[in-house]
Amino acid sequence: APQVCRMTAGQSRYSTVAAARTSAAAAATRRATVPPSPIAVVDVFPPAFTGTWNGQIHQNDGPQWPMVVTIAAGTTTATVTYPQPGCSGIWTMVHTDGQTLHLREQITDGLDHCTDEGTVTLTLQTGPRLAVVYVSGGRPYTATAALTRQPA
């Protein structure tokens, strides 16, 4: 698009161009002296959560389903499968605070059988057991599970 140069009374074309160059030089200097933004630190799954976990998830409105979760240490995502209703998806790390992990669930396969998204909280317990709390993103239910790690 063509640039429009507006001049005020008493201003010459030369003074307008010179002012534009000075302004551009000042902006370049500011960019060169501003430190870069800090890089965001992304939380990852800790080694203690690594493995394949399975068990039953119980919805507070009655239904219960088998589930399988596979977690690899040092990654930001895990896989979740609900074999009985027939859906699966990804858990993505949002953040950790101590031994509690906060995740986002996104169902990617079998959308007609499961709620497509929600939030998940994981806590490692003795046994080892993995406590799961799920809050639906669009339906009025929650669900809980106590999963067991499968031998490697």
Side-chain angles (χ1 to χ4, degrees):
Q3 294 184 346
V4 177
C5 180
R6 301 198 195 283
M7 292 185 285
T8 59
Q11 189 177 31
S12 72
R13 182 179 175 109
Y14 173 78
S15 64
T16 303
V17 171
R21 285 185 184 146
T22 303
S23 177
T29 301
R30 280 193 306 275
R31 282 192 302 271
T33 59
V34 174
S37 299
I39 296 173
V41 175
V42 177
D43 291 326
V44 296
F45 284 98
F49 288 79
T50 298
T52 299
W53 303 81
N54 68 8
Q56 295 283 319
I57 189 159
H58 304 268
Q59 290 181 201
N60 67 341
D61 60 355
Q64 63 180 9
W65 313 103
M67 70 182 298
V68 179
V69 176
T70 303
I71 300 171
T75 63
T76 59
T77 61
T79 60
V80 60
T81 303
Y82 302 97
Q84 191 49 35
C87 59
S88 60
I90 302 293
W91 283 355
T92 303
M93 178 69 68
V94 175
H95 74 279
T96 66
D97 53 14
Q99 288 299 309
T100 302
L101 310 181
H102 302 273
L103 317 168
R104 183 178 60 85
E105 180 180 85
Q106 184 68 51
I107 297 300
T108 56
D109 187 43
L111 291 168
D112 52 337
H113 302 295
C114 292
T115 303
D116 62 340
E117 65 180 359
T119 59
V120 177
T121 303
L122 301 180
T123 307
L124 199 57
Q125 300 178 330
T126 58
R129 311 263 301 163
L130 187 61
V132 178
V133 177
Y134 171 85
V135 177
S136 171
R139 304 258 172 92
Y141 70 86
T142 61
T144 58
L147 305 181
T148 305
R149 187 182 352 237
Q150 299 306 296

